[in-house]
Amino acid sequence: MVISAGPWSSEKSEMNTLEINEKLRPQRGENKRQFTNTKEKYLVTQVAYFLSKGQNTYNYEECKDLLKSMLRDELQLKEEKLAEQLGQAEELR
């Protein structure tokens, strides 16, 4: 037996999707914050490693690459935060 989906079923499906999105939005925000915090902790760990290693020996090329990587990651974090804030502002409109 085949049951055809009428216009009501697609509207109901769309409403269920919207309800699910509304319920998961706070969790998504919390997950993003946790991810951002984890990335920041990773950067701090990189700096601590660099500083502890730098006390023993000094390798300019290795330090330069690490600093470039850290700055690139920090810039990416700032861009992600700004994009998230922009998305939240657009949702409020």
Side-chain angles (χ1 to χ4, degrees), residues 1 5 10 14-15 38 42 45-46 52 68 71 78 87 92:
M1 174 196 286
S10 68
E14 186 175 329
M15 287 303 294
T38 302
Y42 173 71
T45 303
Q46 282 185 319
S52 67
K68 282 182 182 180
L71 291 172
K78 287 180 181 179
L92 292 175

Side-chain angles (χ1 to χ4, degrees), residues 4-31:
S4 64
W8 289 104
S9 64
S10 68
E11 288 178 15
K12 187 176 180 181
S13 174
E14 186 175 329
M15 287 303 294
N16 286 339
T17 302
L18 292 174
E19 290 172 0
I20 291 169
N21 281 341
E22 288 299 318
K23 287 180 182 178
L24 293 178
R25 182 172 289 156
Q27 184 180 353
R28 188 179 113 211
E30 180 61 28
N31 288 345

Side-chain angles (χ1 to χ4, degrees), residues 27-84:
Q27 184 180 353
R28 188 179 113 211
E30 180 61 28
N31 288 345
K32 280 186 174 184
R33 279 187 288 284
Q34 288 177 354
F35 179 71
T36 300
N37 288 341
T38 302
K39 283 178 101 173
E40 289 174 351
K41 288 177 184 176
Y42 173 71
L43 289 175
V44 169
T45 303
Q46 282 185 319
V47 169
Y49 172 76
F50 166 74
L51 292 174
S52 67
K53 188 173 180 178
Q55 291 176 354
N56 298 331
T57 60
Y58 183 77
N59 183 345
Y60 176 74
E61 287 303 315
E62 184 178 324
C63 296
K64 187 172 83 172
D65 291 342
L66 178 60
L67 289 172
K68 282 182 182 180
S69 171
M70 290 169 47
L71 291 172
R72 188 173 39 251
D73 289 346
E74 185 177 356
L75 180 61
Q76 183 180 0
L77 279 173
K78 287 180 181 179
E79 289 173 349
E80 289 172 1
K81 283 182 181 179
L82 288 174
E84 182 179 345

